[in-house]
Amino acid sequence: MNTDGSKKRFALHGYAGIVIMALAEGLLFGGNQLVGHWFTPIVWTGYILFVDALVYKFSGRSLLMTDRLEFVIIA
């Protein structure tokens, strides 16, 4: 946790993750075949972006913002 009292902002890729998940849900219920076929990887991508932004906001570190090499190795 941040103990220095500074507030980290919610990273932009977190908002992108929310948008990706919402669009995927809307397109799935709208009957889009492409999203229906690739729904799981699309939504997981949005989820990873969203959660990484949350981790960055609360701890000040994230795989996409501060530890990119580690993210590549994990992926």
Side-chain angles (χ1 to χ4, degrees), residues 45-66:
T45 301
Y47 180 76
I48 289 168
L49 293 172
F50 174 68
V51 170
D52 187 77
L54 280 178
V55 169
Y56 180 70
K57 179 172 176 53
F58 292 115
S59 73
R61 295 188 68 216
S62 81
L63 291 176
L64 291 175
M65 298 286 283
T66 59

Side-chain angles (χ1 to χ4, degrees), residues 23-37:
L23 283 175
E25 289 285 342
L27 289 170
L28 179 69
F29 288 119
N32 186 296
Q33 294 294 318
L34 182 66
V35 172
H37 185 73

